[in-house]
C-alpha cells in the first residue's frame, strides 16, 4: 500500500491512475459538501476539504481530457435543499469563492485579472478586503423595499425558503428606506458570536446529558439534542428549524456583503454598494476596507490575522473583492466561483504550550476520562487550558507525558485537540503516563473490561461523581418508581445535601423543615404544602419493593431489568442474594459457578456483580439501604410443585425445545441453572447427556427422564 495513488504527487500519476483519483475525489468532495451544507455536520476540516479540491484541480489541469462531467469544479457548491422547507430559486446564482493561502497565490490571482481585462501594469487594482465569517450565507429578496423572502444557498441555484426564520433576526431590516430598487436581492452571512456560541454549546450539552440520564433511567425522552461543533454549525442548525420560535430563541447575527439580482444598478463600486447597504439599515462588517491597490492586501491580511483572536466572532480568512463593478461583470464566473473575488485563508489556529498535568475526570456513569491541563495559551482568540485526551489508549498512542510541550489546534471547533508533541522539548526525566487503577473521586477500584477502551469506577453507590445519576436511576419508573422524584427534584435534593445515597431518600422525612424553606415547597396550605407530603408518601409506599425492582434500582452495570429478574428468581430473597454475591467473589467457588450458570447471566455479568461486591463501600451502602427498605421475596408461582427448586436440563429433549422446557420450569416457580451443584434440586436428563448427568449421579441428586419431567410439569 506504500504507493497509494491518493498520497502520490500529481506529476507522478499516469492516465489511468489520474482517472481513478478524479473519481475518488469527486465522490469525497460531494460527500463532504452534502454533510456540510445539508446536514450541518461537517465530516472533515476546512483544510482537508481545501486540499481535496486543490488536488482535484491540479489533476484536471494536467489531464484536461479526463475532467469528469460531475467534476467538483463544475458542480454548483452546496447541496440540494433538504425536505421540510419549500424551495426558493435565486434571482442570480449564489456562488462560492476560490481560496488562496499566501502572497504568491494572491499575486497570481491579481495577475489573472489583469490578463483577462487586458490591463497594463500601471492600472491600479483596488480591492475591498472583508473578514470572511464562517456562518451560513443567505439570500434576502426585497420587493418595493419590503422583505418578502429569504433563502439558504442550497445548491447555488435553489435554496430552502427560510423566510419565517429570518424574520426573527433583529439585524434583518424589514423595510428598506427609499430610495431603493423595486426588486433587489441582498446577500450576507448569518452567524453566532463566540460568547453566544459557547453559552449555547454549554446549554445543549446540559440538555443532552439530562436526556441521557432520562434514557438510562428508562424514562421517555424527546428528540435528540444536537451539540454544535462550531459557531457555523450552530448558526446553520438554528436557521434551519422548522419552528421559527426556536430560531427566535437563538442569538443569530447578520452581516450583509454582496448583491444578487437587482432591478436597477445601485452603485458603481463595491465599496459604494456597502455604503448603500448601511443606508438601508444592514450591518456591514466594520473591518471591511477599501485598499488603495493590490499590494496592500498582504498588510491587510496580517492586520486581520493579528485582530482575529480578539474578535467576537470566528473568521477563517479575508475575502478580497475587486472594487469596480463594471470590471466584476466583465470578469464573470468560472465554474463555481467569480474571477473577481478570492478568499485568502488563514492557517489553522495552532499554539504550543506545556502539559502541566493529566487529570482523570469521572463521568456520571463512572467513566474515567483523562483531561490535559496546560499552561493557559491563546489559540485563535480563545484562552485554552484544557483538552480531552479521550482515553488510556489514546495517551499511550500519542505518548503524551506530563511536562511535554504539546501542539494544540483549534479548527473552528470548540474543543481544541492536542495534535502532537514537540519531541525535542521533552524533559530528560519524563515518564510515560500511568493511567490510575482507582477512581479519583471516591477511591474505589477502576476496571476496564476486555475489549473496551473506557476504564470505569466500580464504586457505583458511593462515588460522588455518580451519585446523582444513580439516584435518578434508583427512583425511576422501572426501578423503585417513586412518584415525584424525577431528575429535577433529585438534583435539587442532592445539591442541597439532603440526599446522597439511595438510603438517604428514605430518611428525607427528617428534613421537612429544610424543604419547606425552598421556593415552591413552602406554603402551609395548597399545592406547595402537598408537594412535600405527597413526595414523602410516595417514598413510604416503596419501602417494600419487589426484589427485582430493588436489584435493578441498584444500577449495577449490566444488571438491567431482565437480568435483575433472573437474579431475583434465582435467589429468591435479598439476604440469599447478598450472601451468594459475597461468596461468589472467590473465583471457582460454588457460588461463583452457580451465578455464572444462571441461564442468561454468564461470566461477564457475573464479573460485574463481583466487582460491585468487591468494593466494601458498596456493601456498606447496600446494607444501609437494607435498613430502610425490605425487598419482597421474588414472585414464584404459587406453591407449585417446583416452587423455589433449582433445576438443570441436560442432554437433548425430544418432545419440546430446551427453551420451552425452561420457560415451563420457570413458570412453575423453579430456577433454571446451567451447572449441577449439590444445591441443585432436580436434573432432567435428555438424550446423550454427558458430564452433568454423571455429576448428578455422583452427588446423588434427584434426576428425571424427559417423560417424568413432562408428567411433573403437567405437560401430560
Ligand atoms: S462573497 C460571489 N463575502 O464564504 C461571492 N462571502 O467561500 C460570494 N463569506 O458562500 C460570497 N464572508 O458564505 C462573501 N465577506 C464575505 C464573506 C463571504 C463569508 C462566505 C459565504 C460564501 C463563502 C464562500
Amino acid at each position: 500500500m506504500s504507493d497509494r495513488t491518493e498520497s502520490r504527487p500529481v506529476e507522478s500519476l499516469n492516465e489511468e491512475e489520474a482517472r481513478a483519483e478524479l473519481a475518488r475525489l469527486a465522490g469525497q468532495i460531494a460527500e463532504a459538501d452534502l454533510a456540510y451544507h445539508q446536514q450541518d455536520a461537517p465530516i472533515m476540516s476546512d483544510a482537508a476539504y481545501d486540499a481535496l479540491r486543490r488536488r482535484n484541480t491540479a489533476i484536471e489541469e494536467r489531464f484536461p481530457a479526463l475532467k469528469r462531467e460531475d467534476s467538483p469544479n463544475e458542480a454548483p457548491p452546496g447541496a440540494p435543499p433538504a425536505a421540510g422547507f419549500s424551495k426558493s430559486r435565486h434571482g442570480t446564482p449564489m456562488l462560492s469563492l476560490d481560496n488562496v493561502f499566501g502572497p504568491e497565490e494572491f499575486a497570481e490571482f491579481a495577475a489573472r485579472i489583469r490578463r483577462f481585462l487586458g490591463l497594463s501594469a500601471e492600472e491600479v487594482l483596488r480591492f475591498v478586503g472583508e473578514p470572511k465569517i464562517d456562518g451560513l450565507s443567505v439570500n434576502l429578496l426585497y420587493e418595493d423595499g419590503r422583505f418578502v423572502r429569504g433563502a439558504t444557498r442550497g445548491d447555488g441555484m435553489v435554496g430552502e425558503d427560510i423566510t419565517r426564520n429570518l424574520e426573527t433576526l433583529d439585524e434583518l431590516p424589514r423595510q428598506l428606506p427609499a430610495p431603493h430598487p423595486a426588486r433587489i436581492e441582498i446577500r450576507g452571512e448569518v452567524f453566532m458570536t463566540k460568547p453566544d456560541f459557547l453559552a449555547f454549546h454549554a446549554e445543549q450539552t446540559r440538555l443532552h446529558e439530562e436526556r441521557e440520564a432520562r434514557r438510562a433511567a428508562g424514562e421517555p425522552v424527546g428528540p435528540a439534542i444536537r451539540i454544535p461543533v462550531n459557531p457555523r454549525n450552530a448558526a446553520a442548525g438554528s436557521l434551519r428549524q422548522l419552528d421559527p420560535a426556536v430560531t427566535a430563541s437563538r442569538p443569530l447575527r447578520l452581516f450583509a456583503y454582496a448583491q444578487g439580482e437587482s432591478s436597477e444598478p445601485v452603485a458603481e463600486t463595491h465599496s459604494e454598494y456597502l455604503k448603500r447597504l448601511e443606508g438601508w439599515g444592514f450591518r456591514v462588517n466594520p473591518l471591511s476596507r477599501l485598499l488603495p491597490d493590490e499590494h496592500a492586501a498582504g498588510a491587510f491580511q496580517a492586520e486581520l490575522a493579528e485582530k482575529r483572536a480578539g474578535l467576537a466572532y470566528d473568521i477563517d480568512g479575508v475575502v478580497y473583492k475587486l472594487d469596480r463593478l463594471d470590471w466584476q461583470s466583465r470578469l464573470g464566473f468560472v465554474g463555481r466561483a467569480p474571477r473577481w473575488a478570492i478568499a485568502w485563508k488563514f492557517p489553522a489556529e495552532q499554539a504550543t504550550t506545556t502539559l502541566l498535568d493529566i487529570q482523570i475526570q469521572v463521568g456520571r456513569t463512572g467513566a474515567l476520562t483523562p483531561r490535559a491541563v496546560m499552561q493557559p495559551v491563546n489559540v485563535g482568540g480563545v484562552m485554552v487550558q484544557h483538552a480531552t485526551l479521550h482515553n488510556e489508549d489514546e495517551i499511550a498512542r500519542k505518548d503524551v507525558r506530563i511536562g511535554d510541550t504539546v501542539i494544540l489546534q483549534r479548527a473552528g471547533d470548540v474543543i481544541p485537540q492536542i495534535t502532537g508533541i514537540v519531541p525535542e522539548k521533552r524533559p530528560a526525566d519524563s515518564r510515560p503516563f500511568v493511567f490510575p487503577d482507582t477512581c479519583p473521586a471516591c477511591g474505589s477500584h477502576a476496571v476496564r473490561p476486555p475489549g473496551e477502551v473506557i476504564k470505569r469506577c466500580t464504586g457505583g453507590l458511593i462515588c460522588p461523581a455518580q451519585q446523582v445519576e444513580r439516584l435518578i436511576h434508583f427512583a425511576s419508573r422501572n426501578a423503585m418508581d417513586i412518584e415525584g422524584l424525577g431528575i429535577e427534584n433529585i438534583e435539587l435534593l442532592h445539591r442541597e445535601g439532603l440526599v446522597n445515597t439511595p438510603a438517604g431518600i428514605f430518611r428525607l422525612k427528617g428534613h421537612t423543615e429544610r424543604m419547606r424553606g425552598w421556593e415552591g415547597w413552602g406554603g402551609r396550605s395548597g399545592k406547595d404544602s402537598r408537594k412535600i407530603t405527597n413526595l414523602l408518601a410516595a417514598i413510604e409506599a416503596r419501602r417494600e419493593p419487589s426484589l427485582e425492582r430493588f436489584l435493578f434500582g441498584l444500577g449495577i452495570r449490566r444488571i438491567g431489568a431482565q437480568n435483575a429478574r433472573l437474579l431475583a428468581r434465582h435467589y429468591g430473597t435479598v439476604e440469599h442474594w447478598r450472601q451468594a454475591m459475597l461468596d461468589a467473589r472467590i473465583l471457582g467457588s460454588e457460588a461463583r459457578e452457580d451465578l455464572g450458570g444462571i441461564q442468561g447471566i454468564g461470566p461477564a455479568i457475573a464479573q460485574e456483580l463481583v466487582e460491585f461486591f468487591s468494593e466494601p463501600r458498596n456493601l456498606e451502602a447496600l446494607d444501609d439501604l437494607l435498613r430502610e427498605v425490605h425487598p419482597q421475596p421474588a414472585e414464584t408461582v404459587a406453591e407449585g410443585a417446583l416452587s423455589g427448586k433449582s433445576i438443570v436440563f441436560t442432554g437433548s429433549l425430544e418432545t419440546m425445545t430446551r427453551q420451552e422446557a425452561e420457560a415451563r420450569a420457570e413458570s412453575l416457580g423453579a430456577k433454571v441453572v446451567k451447572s449441577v451443584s449439590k444445591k441443585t434440586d432436580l436434573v432432567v436428563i435428555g438424550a446423550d447427556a454427558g458430564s452433568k448427568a454423571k455429576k448428578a449421579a455422583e452427588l446423588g441428586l434427584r434426576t428425571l427422564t424427559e417423560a417424568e419431567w413432562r408428567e411433573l410439569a403437567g405437560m401430560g
Side-chain angles (χ1 to χ4, degrees):
M1 288 298 277
S2 61
D3 65 348
R4 276 175 43 173
T5 49
E6 58 184 87
S7 54
R8 295 240 315 269
V10 173
E11 303 75 56
S12 75
L13 299 177
N14 65 30
E15 198 170 312
E16 197 185 318
E17 290 166 342
R19 184 177 290 118
E21 258 306 79
L22 287 175
R24 180 184 73 83
L25 290 163
Q28 282 193 358
I29 292 169
E31 203 181 313
D33 278 342
L34 192 76
Y36 185 86
H37 291 283
Q38 198 165 326
Q39 290 147 5
D40 305 326
I43 52 174
M44 62 179 78
S45 68
D46 286 0
Y49 178 81
D50 289 339
L52 289 183
R53 275 198 167 273
R54 282 146 81 82
R55 184 167 173 82
N56 185 76
T57 306
I59 299 176
E60 284 179 354
E61 275 169 9
R62 206 175 144 229
F63 298 95
L66 296 184
K67 187 164 172 177
R68 298 165 60 90
E69 220 157 78
D70 66 349
S71 157
N73 282 329
E74 289 302 316
F85 290 99
S86 58
K87 297 181 171 57
S88 173
R89 180 167 288 277
H90 310 310
T92 61
M94 285 182 81
L95 294 155
S96 185
L97 292 169
D98 277 338
N99 298 322
V100 295
F101 293 87
E104 299 81 21
E105 286 180 337
F106 183 82
E108 242 170 67
F109 157 73
R112 272 200 303 276
I113 292 180
R114 281 182 190 286
R115 277 201 301 278
F116 192 96
L117 296 175
L119 302 178
S120 70
E122 282 78 59
E123 199 92 47
V124 176
L125 286 188
R126 269 193 284 274
F127 289 96
V128 174
E130 302 172 358
K132 185 173 188 295
I133 296 174
D134 204 13
L136 193 77
S137 55
V138 291
N139 188 24
L140 312 166
L141 175 65
Y142 288 81
E143 282 176 354
D144 296 324
R146 275 197 68 74
F147 174 61
V148 292
R149 200 164 68 217
T152 62
R153 180 165 64 172
D155 65 4
M157 302 292 169
V158 177
E160 293 159 350
D161 185 330
I162 50 164
T163 310
R164 298 283 153 266
N165 293 345
L166 285 167
E167 278 171 350
T168 68
L169 266 63
D170 291 341
E171 292 177 350
L172 180 121
R174 307 299 148 82
Q175 176 73 47
L176 309 182
H180 52 70
R183 179 183 165 88
I184 185 168
E185 283 179 338
I186 288 160
R187 288 162 185 182
E189 199 85 354
V190 173
F191 65 99
M192 215 181 254
T193 65
K194 289 189 236 179
D196 283 343
F197 168 71
L198 290 176
F200 178 58
H201 181 272
E203 174 66 5
Q204 294 294 101
T205 306
R206 191 183 65 77
L207 291 173
H208 170 77
E209 279 171 3
E210 260 181 39
R211 183 176 181 275
E212 283 304 293
R214 278 206 176 84
R215 205 163 54 82
E219 292 185 8
V221 290
I225 306 290
R226 288 239 214 148
I227 300 177
V229 295
N230 54 35
R232 179 194 186 279
N233 194 232
S238 302
L239 256 194
R240 295 166 80 195
Q241 292 290 329
L242 291 172
D243 177 3
V246 178
T247 309
S249 71
R250 308 272 171 85
L252 296 176
R253 312 293 184 97
L254 170 70
F255 276 135
Y257 54 60
Q259 50 180 327
E261 189 190 0
S262 180
S263 56
E264 59 185 271
V266 293
E268 291 192 351
T269 60
H270 183 63
S271 47
E272 201 188 314
Y273 173 70
L274 293 180
K275 292 210 185 76
R276 296 228 47 193
L277 287 176
E278 284 181 324
W280 287 326
F282 288 98
R283 289 228 305 147
V284 170
N285 193 308
L287 298 172
S288 300
R289 187 184 305 162
L290 174 62
L291 305 173
D293 58 43
E294 70 207 69
H295 308 293
F300 188 66
Q301 189 75 16
E303 185 184 326
L304 283 199
E306 179 80 29
K307 288 201 170 115
R308 180 186 192 186
L311 294 178
Y313 43 82
D314 270 331
I315 64 174
D316 59 352
V318 180
V319 183
Y320 293 92
K321 299 174 183 174
L322 191 61
D323 196 38
R324 275 179 61 165
L325 297 179
D326 57 335
W327 283 352
Q328 283 194 8
S329 47
R330 277 175 62 197
L331 284 157
F333 298 86
V334 56
R336 57 192 260 277
R339 287 197 185 84
W340 44 265
I342 201 90
W344 183 344
K345 295 287 206 68
F346 293 132
E349 295 167 309
Q350 276 200 343
T352 56
T353 185
T354 316
L355 180 63
L356 301 176
D357 194 10
I358 296 177
Q359 289 178 343
I360 305 295
Q361 293 187 305
V362 192
R364 284 163 58 124
T365 55
L368 266 47
T369 319
R371 180 167 89 141
V373 182
M374 294 157 300
Q375 187 72 46
V377 65
N378 187 326
V379 193
V382 178
M383 285 306 283
V384 174
Q385 191 173 5
H386 299 123
T388 173
L389 285 165
H390 304 289
N391 55 54
E392 187 173 9
D393 291 354
E394 189 69 11
I395 299 178
R397 196 177 63 75
K398 289 190 176 145
D399 187 22
V400 180
R401 304 180 183 187
I402 295 169
D404 272 347
T405 298
V406 293
I407 303 165
L408 272 175
Q409 181 159 320
R410 212 178 69 92
D413 297 348
V414 225
I415 298 133
Q417 301 290 325
I418 290 183
T419 56
I421 62 154
V422 183
E424 309 83 66
K425 294 204 177 166
R426 168 165 285 174
D429 60 351
S430 87
R431 301 201 181 292
F433 180 71
V434 182
F435 207 91
D437 286 325
T438 52
C439 170
C442 71
S444 300
H445 64 285
V447 294
R448 182 175 160 188
E452 293 190 17
V453 291
I454 304 291
K455 217 173 208 178
R456 283 174 198 280
C457 163
T458 57
L461 286 185
I462 47 96
C463 180
Q466 301 176 63
Q467 274 168 0
V468 169
E469 189 84 345
R470 295 304 172 124
L471 290 168
I472 290 170
H473 175 78
F474 182 76
S476 70
R477 206 155 30 134
N478 296 333
M480 297 290 280
D481 192 22
I482 304 175
E483 208 172 316
L485 206 50
I487 294 176
E488 271 139 57
N489 284 346
I490 287 179
E491 285 184 338
L492 175 67
L493 293 166
H494 186 261
R495 204 167 45 240
E496 294 289 331
L498 260 48
V499 174
N500 293 324
T501 61
I505 293 175
F506 294 91
R507 297 184 191 126
L508 201 55
K509 59 176 188 281
H511 298 288
T512 42
E513 277 312 312
R514 274 280 302 281
M515 293 190 278
R516 256 191 218 123
W518 301 341
E519 205 188 315
W521 292 64
R524 305 231 162 229
S525 62
K527 209 174 98 213
D528 278 11
S529 75
R530 280 204 302 275
K531 185 167 185 166
I532 296 177
T533 328
N534 290 349
L535 179 60
L536 293 178
I539 291 169
E540 288 311 309
R542 293 291 182 265
R543 283 204 190 253
E544 298 193 341
S546 71
L547 180 58
E548 63 182 82
R549 278 179 179 275
F550 178 82
L551 295 180
F552 175 59
L554 293 178
I556 300 169
R557 226 168 107 71
R558 296 192 202 231
I559 306 302
Q562 177 79 19
N563 289 336
R565 177 168 327 122
L566 293 174
L567 291 173
R569 288 218 182 151
H570 186 79
Y571 294 102
T573 66
V574 75
E575 293 78 18
H576 208 143
W577 172 72
R578 180 185 173 284
Q579 190 54 51
M581 294 305 102
L582 291 175
D583 295 346
R585 287 178 301 180
I586 295 161
L587 202 61
S589 64
E590 204 174 303
R592 179 66 165 267
E593 299 280 289
D594 183 45
L595 171 61
I598 301 173
Q599 190 79 27
I601 293 287
I605 295 169
Q607 181 66 29
E608 295 287 356
L609 285 158
V610 167
E611 297 287 3
F612 181 88
F613 274 86
S614 304
E615 182 52 58
R617 281 164 310 164
N618 280 340
L619 191 61
E620 275 169 34
L622 173 68
D623 289 346
D624 190 25
L625 179 58
L626 287 174
R627 282 190 277 277
E628 301 293 337
V629 301
H630 309 286
Q632 295 304 290
E635 274 175 37
T636 49
V637 175
E639 303 313 312
L642 298 178
S643 183
K645 298 265 192 299
S646 74
I647 185 165
V648 173
F649 290 91
T650 178
S652 54
L653 302 177
E654 281 162 8
T655 61
M656 69 190 93
T657 63
R658 174 73 71 89
Q659 199 185 5
E660 190 189 353
E662 288 172 352
R664 180 68 188 161
E666 277 179 354
S667 75
L668 292 172
K671 292 163 285 179
V672 177
V673 291
K674 267 192 192 154
S675 59
V676 174
S677 74
K678 66 174 193 272
K679 284 196 186 148
T680 312
D681 296 301
L682 283 173
V683 182
V684 178
I685 298 175
D688 304 315
S691 61
K692 289 185 197 170
K694 201 165 141 235
K695 189 162 177 199
E698 282 167 9
L699 292 170
L701 301 174
R702 182 176 167 202
T703 61
L704 298 172
T705 63
E706 185 173 353
E708 285 166 335
W709 154 248
R710 289 189 71 93
E711 174 107 63
L712 180 68
M715 299 170 92

